[in-house]
Amino acid sequence: MALIAENLDLGYQKQTVLADVSLELKGGDMTLLMGPSGSGKSTLLKALAGLYPQYGGQVAGQINLDGTDLKDLPANVRAKEVGLLFQNPDSQFAMPTVRQEFIFALENLALPHDEIDRRIAWSLTRVGLADFVDRPFVTLSGGELQKVALAEVLALGAKYLLLDEPFAAVDLQSRRELQGMLHQLSQEGYGILVADHDSAGYLDKITDFYQVQGEQLARLARPDWQKFEHRDQYVSIEPAPLTAPTYSLEDVNLKNGEREVLHQDELAIYDQQITLITGPNGVGKSTLLKTLADLHNYQGTLIYENKALSKWKKRAYYRQVGLIFQSATEQFLDITVEEELAQVASKSPHADYWQADRRQDWLEKLGLTGMDDRSVYTLSGGQQKKLQLILMLIMAPKVLLMDEPLAGLDEASIDQVLTLIQVVQRELRLTVVVVSHQVRDLVRIIDQHLSYQDGSLTYQKEVAI
């Protein structure tokens, strides 16, 4: 018994994304799928889950689930057998709290209430979030949302689990724990297919390894896995000379719901530098960025450019400070790529810098050319991230706050994105504050490193990668 794809052709708007794909996922398998941003990994997972072609894209070929053609199975039957974890967990949730979301999903399977309660408790315990059952989603970090999304897939009872970039916003320790959990589930008989841009932590756990190469899906021989090996390590950074403070925090307290996430006696964030903030999921990194963007309440004294934040008029402040949201789709205002670019170009305070030839040059480097008439919502997660970033850099306020800007990006895209950030930051003299769990490449462009320790932030010269 298996989930089997045979001679699949996948595409959008008559453009082929993947051709002649064949893949088999059995109970007990743990398979890793890698490939560049926009190469079709998410499209393949959606097709295997039965979402395409009904909800988008073109699919030709055959997908069989335990001997039955997948398209002949009603959605509620498919959901009991094949579970899909979306790249953006926000796309997975329809209700305001964790409990309400799980009840909503499980009632669609016509389960009795005692079985629903059992599955909720079991699945949240499996991902280490047993006490999150009544937490509102708006209080969860990106990594916590990923874990809840995984727990929901498990609660639905599917035996084939398809996971699309499940660790894009998860800290290193949680990544290790969840990979270990997936390995254990595969040993218990689940079939698991994970699409990821980062091979770290997989190679001693997987049974199969596929890579997207052009429009083809290549199955890698085990000896070829060695080139993807990665060892965790610490690297030292040489902090840049300190400049004048852009932000100063004095006796600042932040809460996420009723939970205190930061108590900072004193802290400065420096002008025209790139500052990296690291720390485990849920400690309050995104909450801090929202506070600096004047989108979250705080207690204490927060000073921006020698003036208390509370004294700034919001319109004037928002012209100077911008926030790149963790979810790229929250940033878009229009439908097509061309419309988004035209809008920001017309309002950019750096129109002389961002002339058409420079915009086109960077779009080409980021692999976003030829997509003018594409809806931003049909782009891959990685393409959305790159578009979101260049849109915000074209707008280029004095301070740019970035929440997980590298999530869902392959290595080549990360290289281009970091170059873009560094070039624009230096040439336009921006102050950039970055929250990220993907720091292996970020360390080459940062000037300062702030780390969460015991509920507060301290400057550190070492970064775990």
Side-chain angles (χ1 to χ4, degrees):
M1 308 299 278
L3 179 62
I4 301 173
E6 293 181 318
N7 309 119
L8 281 187
D9 292 333
L10 306 173
Y12 294 96
Q13 298 177 344
K14 299 182 180 180
Q15 180 179 354
T16 299
V17 177
L18 289 172
D20 197 27
V21 170
S22 294
L23 178 146
E24 181 176 349
L25 183 66
K26 304 186 302 296
D29 289 347
M30 182 168 171
T31 299
L32 176 62
L33 172 63
M34 293 186 67
S37 299
S39 61
K41 301 184 302 298
S42 298
T43 301
L44 175 58
L45 264 59
K46 289 173 181 175
L48 292 174
L51 299 185
Y52 288 169
Q54 184 176 358
Y55 298 106
Q58 289 93 44
V59 180
Q62 186 86 17
I63 303 175
N64 286 301
L65 174 61
D66 295 340
T68 302
D69 193 321
L70 191 67
K71 66 177 181 290
D72 293 335
L73 296 174
N76 63 331
V77 174
R78 288 199 311 266
K80 293 179 181 178
E81 302 295 330
V82 183
L84 173 62
L85 175 62
F86 293 103
Q87 187 171 136
N88 179 1
D90 289 337
S91 304
Q92 200 127 350
F93 306 131
M95 306 301 286
T97 72
V98 174
R99 186 190 299 274
Q100 289 171 317
E101 170 65 25
F102 278 50
I103 290 173
F104 173 75
L106 294 170
E107 282 183 341
N108 286 331
L109 301 183
L111 297 174
H113 289 295
D114 57 346
E115 176 63 11
I116 289 175
D117 291 341
R118 187 195 68 79
R119 290 199 188 192
I120 293 173
W122 170 80
S123 62
L124 288 172
T125 299
R126 291 295 307 246
V127 301
L129 297 180
D131 58 345
F132 276 54
V133 65
D134 289 311
R135 288 277 295 274
F137 284 113
V138 294
T139 69
L140 303 188
S141 70
E144 289 166 343
L145 288 170
Q146 289 278 22
K147 292 180 184 180
V148 172
L150 177 55
E152 184 174 22
V153 169
L154 291 174
L156 289 170
K159 60 184 179 182
Y160 300 105
L161 307 180
L162 313 176
L163 300 101
D164 194 358
E165 298 287 345
F167 310 125
V170 174
D171 64 80
L172 184 59
Q173 182 59 35
S174 295
R175 177 185 176 92
R176 291 170 178 158
E177 292 171 357
L178 287 169
Q179 286 175 325
M181 188 203 73
L182 292 177
H183 184 227
Q184 178 63 38
L185 288 170
S186 71
Q187 293 181 319
E188 293 172 12
Y190 288 81
I192 297 172
L193 174 60
V194 186
D196 205 328
H197 285 112
D198 188 351
S199 61
Y202 285 111
L203 300 187
D204 61 341
K205 301 175 179 67
I206 59 175
T207 56
D208 231 330
F209 194 158
Y210 288 86
Q211 187 180 35
V212 180
Q213 299 176 355
E215 294 180 354
Q216 305 299 311
L217 193 64
R219 186 180 184 183
L220 302 186
R222 191 172 290 268
D224 294 332
W225 298 5
Q226 296 178 6
K227 63 184 178 182
F228 294 92
E229 286 184 356
H230 167 74
R231 290 186 175 89
D232 297 330
Q233 57 183 302
Y234 285 86
V235 298
S236 296
I237 64 167
E238 188 62 39
L242 298 182
T243 55
T246 293
Y247 287 102
S248 298
L249 285 72
E250 299 173 8
D251 196 27
V252 168
N253 287 276
L254 300 183
K255 287 187 175 182
N256 191 347
E258 297 299 316
R259 182 170 57 97
E260 184 177 271
V261 293
L262 179 71
H263 176 78
Q264 195 72 38
D265 293 329
E266 190 175 20
L267 181 72
I269 297 174
Y270 298 99
D271 187 44
Q272 297 182 30
Q273 297 197 353
I274 300 176
T275 300
L276 170 67
I277 299 178
T278 64
N281 289 121
V283 295
K285 303 184 299 299
S286 296
T287 301
L288 174 61
L289 288 192
K290 291 175 182 176
T291 303
L292 297 179
D294 199 17
L295 299 174
H296 190 90
N297 293 329
Y298 64 94
Q299 293 180 323
T301 302
L302 177 53
I303 297 171
Y304 171 70
E305 294 199 337
N306 301 313
K307 180 179 175 180
L309 184 58
S310 59
K311 302 295 184 182
W312 279 86
K313 292 184 178 180
K314 289 188 179 294
R315 181 183 291 271
Y317 186 74
Y318 293 156
R319 287 197 189 104
Q320 298 200 34
V321 179
L323 172 61
I324 294 182
F325 297 117
Q326 193 169 132
S327 173
T329 54
E330 293 181 22
Q331 210 97 45
F332 301 137
L333 298 175
D334 287 303
I335 300 300
T336 70
V337 172
E338 183 178 29
E339 289 169 341
E340 287 284 353
L341 288 165
Q343 179 184 191
V344 297
S346 69
K347 297 179 179 178
S348 174
H350 305 281
D352 290 342
Y353 180 84
W354 281 110
Q355 292 184 17
D357 57 345
R358 189 186 299 273
R359 296 198 307 270
Q360 190 61 30
D361 180 51
W362 276 112
L363 287 169
E364 185 173 347
K365 290 175 179 176
L366 295 172
L368 295 175
T369 53
M371 298 185 180
D372 288 356
D373 62 347
R374 284 275 300 273
S375 165
V376 295
Y377 303 103
T378 67
L379 303 180
S380 73
Q383 291 167 334
Q384 289 177 342
K385 268 291 178 188
K386 290 185 285 187
L387 178 62
Q388 174 196 29
L389 180 68
I390 194 169
L391 291 173
M392 291 300 291
L393 286 172
I394 291 172
M395 289 300 295
K398 292 177 65 175
V399 177
L400 197 50
L401 311 169
M402 301 183 175
D403 197 352
E404 298 290 350
L406 307 182
L409 297 182
D410 61 272
E411 289 188 12
S413 294
I414 287 174
D415 185 63
Q416 291 293 348
V417 161
L418 292 181
T419 301
L420 172 62
I421 292 171
Q422 187 176 42
V423 167
V424 176
Q425 185 267 334
R426 295 287 184 252
E427 294 184 353
L428 297 183
R429 300 180 181 181
L430 308 180
T431 300
V432 175
V433 183
V434 184
V435 163
S436 181
H437 292 296
Q438 296 175 267
V439 300
R440 191 186 315 156
D441 299 289
L442 258 171
V443 292
R444 78 169 191 253
I445 72 166
I446 65 173
D447 298 303
Q448 308 290 342
H449 171 221
L450 280 168
S451 175
Y452 263 87
Q453 295 185 353
D454 300 321
S456 64
L457 287 161
T458 58
Y459 280 101
Q460 301 289 326
K461 292 186 178 182
E462 280 193 333
V463 185
I465 66 172

